[in-house]
Amino acid sequence: MSDDIRDERLSRLYREAEAAAPPEALDRAILAASRAALAPARRRARWQAWTLPMGVAATLVLTVTLTLLVQREQEPPLGEAPLPRAPAAAPQERAEPGAELPAKTAAPPAAKREAVRREAEAPPPAPTPAASRPASQPPVVEQKALPAPAPEAVGAAEPARPAAAMRRQSAPAADAVEMRAKSAPLRKEAAGAAAARTPEQWLEEIRQLKAQGRDQQAAEALAEFRQAYPDYRLPEDLR
Amino acid sequence: MHEGMSDEALMLAYRDGDAAAFEALYRRWRSRLYRTLLRQCGNAAQADELFQDVWLKVVNARKGYEVAAKFSTWLFRIAHNRLIDHYRAQGRAEVVSYDDDPDDADRIASLPAAATAQPEALLERKALAQELVKHIEALPAAQRETFLLSEEGELTLEEIAAATGTSRETAKSRLRYAVNKLRAALGELK
């Protein structure tokens, strides 16, 4: 091969030397590496063909799911009228000791269940508290029933409400249930009405009680209001 | 299927995804490349490592492979570069001999001494062949490599020059020194 420099006798003798060869394990390793170098390229190409459709499908599913979830959360549960959010809890209430945490976390579902149960039992809510009330109906009954349903209704419509307010509504659960049992069907009606009432409407009713000279009832209603909305800033005329 | 294909065609087929083409190419060159590396480094374990590295470089270079030279020239060029790295890592004197001017007349004087073995005492050619291998392994690295590329790679002087990054004249000079040295060592073959 290398022109006239090569010595044929030397070459022949060299070829008669013991033929060294690579170990079989080395052969296998190299051939495996040569095949492996080709395999990922094929697999990647096949996968890449599915990347775009899979990505589009995943995006669509995610979008539809999120839209449905948001719509479901915006709908008022069981035909309940949407209520304004309760005022935010005071900072010191948020920073209460950790021992109360289990009660806080357990409260919302319990309150919600209770509200749902009573909503199912109660007749349709009264349209407006004062204007539509018949003259013969004693307003006292309605006012007495006011405080109890209001927190429940808020709790049902708002699972993420401040912990202190929720605790106040659900902790004395036994007492509340007992009281509610005593005040029969009229109370259920009032509960329905109160559930659809905003704090402003509630305060307007208190003002009307005061205007009618029923100070005792107005004071009781105001105390219940404060219990239900401890952080609500009362108007000057009701302080 | 691959028997009639040239080395270059096999490598192109492998580049395009034919794993069997690489295997055919590997079978053709595995022994010759391995012996070249083994004679060059003189150690089976190191030869294994170098051998694997060279073939893995071939595998990794497949995507950009184009037929610019004979496959064997390209293969032995990779082996040459890997050997240089190996010598540098080892701090061996062979690097110096690669860097030296091969046309230097004093080079002959720097060649290893003639073999002390007595070839006439080796009655069997097999034993004589093994003695030749020892003398080849005792050659300076550049001459040894040139001789092995000529014998194992069956490369021409031009191809040897391309594989080792030298001129044709340098390759010719190295090969002449190597052959003369081996003839001298095995005096009865002269």
Side-chain angles (χ1 to χ4, degrees):
Chain A
M1 277 284 153
S2 304
D3 306 336
D4 55 338
I5 304 169
R6 282 187 71 184
D7 186 320
E8 280 307 315
R9 291 175 299 169
L10 208 57
S11 295
R12 270 200 306 276
L13 185 60
Y14 175 72
R15 289 196 176 82
E16 288 171 21
E18 191 178 351
E24 283 184 19
L26 203 52
D27 289 342
R28 283 196 297 271
I30 291 166
L31 291 175
S34 73
R35 285 188 292 269
L38 296 177
R42 288 193 201 126
R43 220 176 290 137
R44 215 178 297 124
R46 206 173 298 152
W47 167 246
Q48 277 171 349
W50 285 97
T51 304
L52 184 64
M54 290 292 284
V56 170
T59 308
L60 280 175
V61 168
L62 194 64
T63 308
V64 169
T65 308
L66 283 173
T67 308
L68 288 175
L69 276 175
V70 168
Q71 279 179 353
R72 200 169 296 169
E73 287 209 352
Q74 283 174 349
E75 284 171 5
L78 297 172
E80 190 176 311
L83 290 178
R85 287 184 172 273
Q92 64 269 22
E93 285 181 328
R94 286 197 203 109
E96 278 181 4
E100 291 186 29
L101 280 175
K104 288 177 189 173
T105 51
K112 191 168 186 174
R113 276 197 301 274
E114 181 66 16
V116 168
R117 185 182 62 77
R118 262 183 283 106
E119 281 295 328
E121 290 172 1
T128 39
S132 65
R133 190 192 309 139
S136 59
Q137 188 178 344
V140 179
V141 176
E142 190 180 333
Q143 289 303 324
K144 279 209 168 185
L146 287 177
E152 290 158 4
V154 171
E158 224 180 316
R161 56 170 305 150
M166 286 192 290
R167 191 172 56 256
R168 238 176 251 118
Q169 293 150 22
S170 62
D175 295 345
V177 169
E178 196 180 341
M179 283 174 66
R180 273 184 230 118
K182 284 175 187 171
S183 54
L186 279 176
R187 188 179 180 87
K188 286 180 183 173
E189 264 180 49
R197 180 176 54 185
T198 67
E200 289 76 20
Q201 287 171 336
W202 195 350
L203 290 173
E204 186 54 36
E205 288 172 12
I206 294 170
R207 275 196 199 95
Q208 284 176 7
L209 285 173
K210 274 187 149 187
Q212 291 165 6
R214 289 186 249 172
D215 293 338
Q216 177 64 28
Q217 291 164 6
E220 285 175 5
L222 192 61
E224 287 166 352
F225 179 88
R226 277 183 173 151
Q227 196 176 4
Y229 297 102
D231 300 320
Y232 193 92
R233 189 176 176 82
L234 287 173
E236 288 293 334
D237 58 328
L238 292 178
R239 282 184 191 167
Chain B
M1 178 180 169
H2 295 104
E3 285 78 14
M5 291 173 71
S6 68
D7 296 340
E8 294 76 29
L10 287 173
M11 188 62 199
L12 287 172
Y14 176 59
R15 182 196 66 182
D16 297 337
D18 184 355
F22 179 86
E23 187 165 350
L25 196 55
Y26 178 77
R27 298 285 173 206
R28 277 185 198 176
W29 287 100
R30 62 187 275 280
S31 296
R32 287 186 274 186
L33 177 66
Y34 185 78
R35 280 195 296 271
T36 302
L37 294 169
L38 181 63
R39 308 281 186 244
Q40 286 283 78
C41 67
N43 178 300
Q46 288 176 354
D48 290 357
E49 185 186 338
L50 296 173
F51 180 77
Q52 187 168 13
D53 285 355
V54 170
W55 281 109
L56 290 181
K57 282 181 190 294
V58 171
V59 166
N60 293 331
R62 77 191 185 284
K63 283 182 183 172
Y65 180 78
E66 296 293 342
V67 184
K70 275 176 66 180
F71 172 80
S72 53
T73 306
W74 182 60
L75 179 68
F76 283 102
R77 172 83 185 171
I78 294 172
H80 168 83
N81 291 337
R82 183 65 188 87
L83 267 171
I84 296 292
D85 291 343
H86 169 71
Y87 291 146
R88 288 200 173 116
Q90 299 282 313
R92 283 172 58 169
E94 279 84 351
V95 180
V96 177
S97 73
Y98 272 108
D99 295 338
D100 285 347
D101 180 6
D103 294 328
D104 189 347
D106 293 337
R107 188 59 174 277
I108 298 169
S110 72
L111 290 172
T116 52
Q118 301 294 317
E120 59 274 9
L122 303 172
L123 300 176
E124 298 180 9
R125 281 185 67 86
K126 194 81 174 173
L128 191 61
Q130 290 305 317
E131 194 65 23
L132 174 64
V133 168
K134 287 181 187 173
H135 288 294
I136 291 167
E137 289 174 352
L139 287 171
Q143 294 172 25
R144 182 174 61 233
E145 182 182 49
T146 306
F147 178 82
L148 290 170
L149 291 178
S150 171
E151 292 296 330
E152 297 287 2
E154 299 180 352
L155 302 185
T156 64
L157 288 174
E158 288 77 11
E159 289 163 353
I160 292 171
T164 56
T166 58
S167 66
R168 181 185 184 280
E169 288 309 306
T170 300
K172 185 176 181 179
S173 174
R174 285 174 178 171
L175 184 58
R176 183 178 290 124
Y177 289 142
V179 169
N180 288 340
K181 178 66 186 170
L182 294 173
R183 279 180 186 151
L186 303 173
E188 89 286 2
L189 290 177
K190 272 187 171 180

